[in-house]
Amino acid sequence: MKKVVVALSGGVDSSVAAALLVEQGFQVVGATMRLWNAPGCDQENRCCTPETRALAASLAEKLSIPFIVLDEAETFRSVVVQQFLDGYTRGETPNPCVTCNRFLKWGVLWDYAKSIGADYLATGHYARVLAQPNGAYELWKGRDPAKDQTYFLSTLTQEHLAHTLFPLGELRKTEVRRIAAERALPAADQPESQDLCFLGGRDYRDFLAEYAPQAVRPGPITDRSGKLLGQHQGLAFYTIGQRKGVPAAAQALYVWKKDIENNRLIVCPAEELGADTLRVTEINWISGVSPTEEFQAEVKIRSRAAPALGLVTPGPDSSVRVRFEKPLRDITPGQLAVFYQGEQVLGGGWIS
RNA sequence: UGGGGCAUGGUGCAACGGCAGCACACCGGACUUUGAAUCCGUGGAUCUAGGUUCGAAUCCUGGUGCCCCAG
């Protein structure tokens, strides 16, 4: 009997994933990670509160599987949260969920799974792993196009995929909810998770002001010619393409660039946003093999962006340059660019 | 302290003397395992004191503030 550790968040998706694995005959161990325990944010924090842990525990009891809580708050703080704060301090817009998947779920949790002799790590992500006849593994989008989460999983390697199960990969969200209801799982009525789990319902601006005050200094807002338009309260409160918080004008203005050296926010009208080229570094190619020739791919530059067709040109040090057919707005350093061909995920790297 | 112009929500602009509108911001909601974007919705204004008029954001006079030109 194959043994699998399933990551339980207390939500619907991971609950159904666990239930399905049990029904498929796996020896299942439920695991929840305690990732954040700053005082005062427990009641709002949806992914690792006492309430969500209780939901996960009661699910495990219902399924009659062992349940363990791993306290990884220190790892999470020093890796995920620190990268989040450092990214904003550098003027980037970091994506902590990607980092969390890489270092906590397929890092700490996978190490734990191996330590107890498990064959697999399973999560409730909407994604598919396809084993090829030649022994290679491919990562494919989840069957439900509205819920596909491969954007956050593009840093996985062959080693990870060989030992990863996504029980929800072939399902749609409505089916998952139905399965949860039919089996009366404790989390059946839980709302979708949203926002950064460690913010605990706070605005991320408040969080940054507390943990990264150096990134929250007032400064000027100008147009591209340098004309002063107003004041901002901190560059970290903005991201490329953002309108919120930009001074009103006859025409809507958006963030064009963050001038870190001068702590200056540069804004422009919508039609001046965007670029048709992009550089991506530190790319993880799912196949484990870096491309050497140019190729066409669909590229997602944000988690919920429509894929854009572009020509990918390999460069040095596992970087590439992408030239898009049409200019793309909101190309944002610190976010991930993920390469697709149809349903298949080729890889992903950081936008620089 | 000569001349000219302007003054309307937080911001930028509309409104022949006839119910003060629009855009953006703010706020609420939808969407969403990052930040955004996007969609729906609420609230909020005629610088001031008089005058003309049935009726004034609009016309007239004084005040106040700002801008431009000339010193």
Side-chain angles (χ1 to χ4, degrees), chain A residues 25-138:
Chain A
F26 286 93
Q27 180 189 350
V28 180
V29 174
T32 289
M33 284 188 288
R34 186 190 175 98
L35 298 178
W36 190 249
N37 52 14
C41 77
D42 256 9
Q43 60 272 37
E44 297 277 354
N45 188 332
R46 288 202 186 146
C47 85
C48 43
T49 62
E51 285 75 20
T52 56
R53 279 196 293 278
L55 278 168
S58 70
L59 174 83
E61 187 176 350
K62 184 177 178 68
L63 298 178
S64 302
I65 61 174
F67 176 62
I68 184 169
V69 175
L70 302 178
D71 190 339
E72 294 298 336
E74 177 50 31
T75 313
F76 187 78
R77 190 204 62 74
S78 64
V79 177
V80 178
V81 176
Q82 194 59 46
Q83 284 197 12
F84 176 77
L85 299 175
D86 289 347
Y88 270 115
T89 303
R90 283 195 302 270
E92 297 176 354
T93 303
N95 193 324
C97 291
V98 174
T99 308
C100 182
N101 284 338
R102 179 73 182 83
F103 290 97
L104 273 295
K105 297 194 181 79
W106 279 269
V108 170
L109 191 56
W110 172 231
D111 287 341
Y112 167 76
K114 283 188 287 193
S115 76
I116 63 167
D119 303 285
Y120 297 106
L121 173 67
T123 72
H125 285 106
Y126 290 81
R128 288 177 283 172
V129 178
L130 301 190
Q132 299 303 299
N134 65 2
Y137 293 87
E138 294 181 354

Side-chain angles (χ1 to χ4, degrees), chain A residues 224-247:
Chain A
R224 291 173 67 181
S225 72
K227 181 185 173 193
L228 186 67
L229 299 178
Q231 293 285 314
H232 67 76
Q233 293 306 309
L235 286 183
F237 296 165
Y238 297 85
T239 189
I240 306 300
Q242 179 169 332
R243 187 178 68 195
K244 188 183 172 74
V246 174

Side-chain angles (χ1 to χ4, degrees), chain A residues 189-246:
Chain A
D189 299 322
Q190 285 292 298
E192 296 292 278
S193 68
Q194 60 184 19
D195 296 333
L196 292 176
C197 66
F198 54 90
L199 296 181
R202 302 168 77 185
D203 192 295
Y204 84 100
R205 296 170 181 82
D206 295 338
F207 186 88
L208 285 172
E210 178 177 345
Y211 290 92
Q214 74 280 3
V216 186
R217 303 191 322 275
I221 301 175
T222 74
D223 65 17
R224 291 173 67 181
S225 72
K227 181 185 173 193
L228 186 67
L229 299 178
Q231 293 285 314
H232 67 76
Q233 293 306 309
L235 286 183
F237 296 165
Y238 297 85
T239 189
I240 306 300
Q242 179 169 332
R243 187 178 68 195
K244 188 183 172 74
V246 174

Side-chain angles (χ1 to χ4, degrees), chain A residues 12-13 16 20 126 143-144 168-183:
Chain A
V12 184
D13 292 335
V16 169
L20 292 176
Y126 290 81
R143 185 72 78 180
D144 186 340
L168 308 188
E170 296 290 346
L171 300 178
R172 290 173 180 273
K173 184 72 186 196
T174 53
E175 297 172 303
V176 170
R177 285 228 174 253
R178 180 173 52 76
I179 291 169
E182 283 172 0
R183 289 159 180 69

